[in-house]
């Protein structure tokens, strides 16, 4: 029986949405027997977690796929929770090298102070697969290339308690990307734009359809949706993606849970 669930804390993307907060920008959370993981804690990750009854103190790991503010703004807060108010050095941070170490001028987004509060910090390396032990079990992550307008951005496949969760992070579609995301139970795709509204460094719903068709997850989920996509209608776009790809794809909404009994979201 499947025990892993995914909770979407914030499903909005793009610069307009970021400051208007029509949709939240807190990323999502994975709860499983082996670990609870928060992914891409943009603004509202802490408040959204509390709103949706996801206790941040029960997290074991944090993943930050790149250093844009809508993916890492609340990283320090999440680390304060993982480390139990900074009193216990515990937990895992997996983040882009740029987020951890900064570029040439050292402009890092996760402070050295906070990095020192967890037990393990891993700077993600494209193509690497790495296993992490938690207090309750373990998970494994495979780091997948992303093409985005900031250094060291990545996507991943997470292997946890028999479930494989893929997440593209922010990226444009590139040749061969679908092959890299093969074998997922859930494939979460950041879909900023509706079809025919191409934008460098991001995917449109057309791109997501191509990705889903090639990657063939059991279920596809679109999130990180920008204003034009929200206006076009996420449900409509998801239906188009499902039809084109032959995969069941849903548009996430703030507070949406998938896991057991996910049929009700179809
Ligand atoms: Zn970004």
């Amino acid at each position: 029986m499947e025990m892993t669930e995914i909770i979407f804390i914030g499903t909005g993307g793009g610069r307009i949405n970021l400051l208007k907060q029509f949709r939240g920008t807190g990323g999502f959370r994975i709860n499983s027997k082996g670990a609870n993981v928060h992914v891409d804690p943009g603004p509202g990750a802490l408040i959204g977690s509390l709103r949706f009854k996801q206790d941040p103190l029960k997290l074991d790991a944090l993943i930050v796929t790149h250093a844009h503010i809508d993916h890492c703004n609340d990283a320090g807060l999440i680390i304060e929770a993982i480390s139990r108010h900074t009193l216990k050095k515990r937990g895992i941070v997996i983040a882009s090298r740029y987020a951890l170490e900064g570029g040439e001028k050292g402009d890092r987004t996760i402070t050295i102070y906070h990095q020192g509060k967890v037990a393990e910090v891993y700077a993600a390396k494209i193509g690497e697969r790495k296993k992490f032990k938690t207090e309750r079990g373990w998970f494994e992550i495979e780091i997948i290339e992303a093409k985005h307008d900031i250094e060291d951005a990545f996507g991943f496949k997470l292997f946890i308690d028999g479930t494989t969760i893929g997440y593209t992070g922010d990226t444009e579609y590139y040749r061969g990307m679908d092959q890299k995301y093969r074998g997922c139970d859930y494939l979460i795709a950041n879909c900023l734009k509706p079809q025919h509204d191409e934008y460098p460094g991001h995917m449109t719903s057309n791109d997501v359809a191509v990705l889903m068709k090639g990657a063939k997850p059991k279920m596809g989920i679109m999130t990180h949706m920008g204003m034009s996509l929200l206006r076009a209608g996420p449900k409509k776009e998801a239906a188009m993606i499902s039809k084109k790809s032959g995969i069941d794809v849903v548009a996430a909404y703030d507070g949406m849970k998938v896991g057991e009994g996910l049929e009700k979201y179809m």
Side-chain angles (χ1 to χ4, degrees), residues 147-148 171-174 190-210 226 228-229 232 237 240 244:
K147 289 195 190 302
H148 195 42
T171 182
E172 55 187 47
Y173 181 81
Y174 58 88
N190 284 357
C191 185
L192 188 76
K193 295 282 193 180
Q195 51 180 329
H196 313 307
D197 188 11
E198 262 139 62
Y199 195 76
H202 290 277
M203 286 193 285
T204 65
S205 44
N206 247 344
D207 299 323
V208 173
V210 175
S228 59
L229 193 142
E237 294 290 307
M240 181 279 288
K244 274 194 180 171

Side-chain angles (χ1 to χ4, degrees), residues 1-217:
M1 179 145 103
E2 197 167 285
M3 304 198 57
T4 305
E5 60 172 11
I6 308 167
I7 297 105
F8 289 83
I9 306 298
T11 55
R15 292 187 188 278
I16 297 169
N17 181 74
L18 172 67
L19 298 184
K20 292 280 187 187
Q21 293 285 303
F22 290 117
R23 291 263 184 133
T25 48
F28 60 92
R29 171 161 163 163
I30 299 159
N31 291 334
S32 195
K33 203 157 69 83
N36 295 342
V37 185
H38 197 115
V39 181
D40 280 354
L46 174 63
I47 286 175
S49 296
L50 297 172
R51 177 179 168 210
F52 297 122
K53 311 260 181 290
Q54 300 299 312
D55 187 353
L57 291 162
K58 291 187 177 146
L59 285 165
D60 304 285
L62 165 68
I63 302 175
V64 174
T65 62
H66 63 286
H68 279 153
I69 197 164
D70 54 336
H71 294 256
C72 68
N73 187 73
D74 280 11
L77 295 170
I78 296 297
I79 291 172
E80 299 248 344
I82 289 174
S83 61
R84 309 268 159 77
H85 315 278
T86 74
L87 296 174
K88 193 171 181 217
K89 199 175 167 82
R90 67 177 290 278
I92 299 149
V93 170
I94 298 166
S96 73
R97 184 169 293 281
Y98 188 90
L100 293 169
E101 296 169 13
E104 270 173 31
K105 293 180 180 167
D107 188 17
R108 65 172 60 78
T109 46
I110 303 175
T111 62
I112 293 171
Y113 170 81
H114 281 120
Q115 290 183 41
K117 298 301 174 190
V118 294
E120 205 172 347
V121 176
Y122 168 57
K125 206 172 154 211
I126 305 297
E128 208 160 68
R129 184 167 166 152
K130 202 168 153 64
K131 189 171 177 174
F132 291 91
K133 282 184 81 168
T134 67
E135 287 154 4
R136 300 183 283 131
W138 58 274
F139 65 86
E140 224 170 326
I141 191 167
E142 182 184 328
I143 307 297
I144 297 175
E145 182 182 8
K147 289 195 190 302
H148 195 42
D149 62 347
I150 189 166
E151 282 171 69
D152 305 324
F154 67 95
F156 61 78
K157 280 196 284 195
L158 193 82
F159 309 88
I160 186 164
D161 297 308
T163 302
T164 302
I165 298 166
Y167 173 53
T168 63
D170 280 1
T171 182
E172 55 187 47
Y173 181 81
Y174 58 88
R175 253 176 99 102
M177 180 179 172
D178 46 341
Q179 301 299 315
K180 295 181 183 185
Y181 284 100
R182 281 259 170 113
C184 293
D185 295 294
Y186 305 104
L187 177 52
I188 301 164
N190 284 357
C191 185
L192 188 76
K193 295 282 193 180
Q195 51 180 329
H196 313 307
D197 188 11
E198 262 139 62
Y199 195 76
H202 290 277
M203 286 193 285
T204 65
S205 44
N206 247 344
D207 299 323
V208 173
V210 175
L211 169 68
M212 293 296 173
K213 191 175 180 185
K216 297 184 180 25

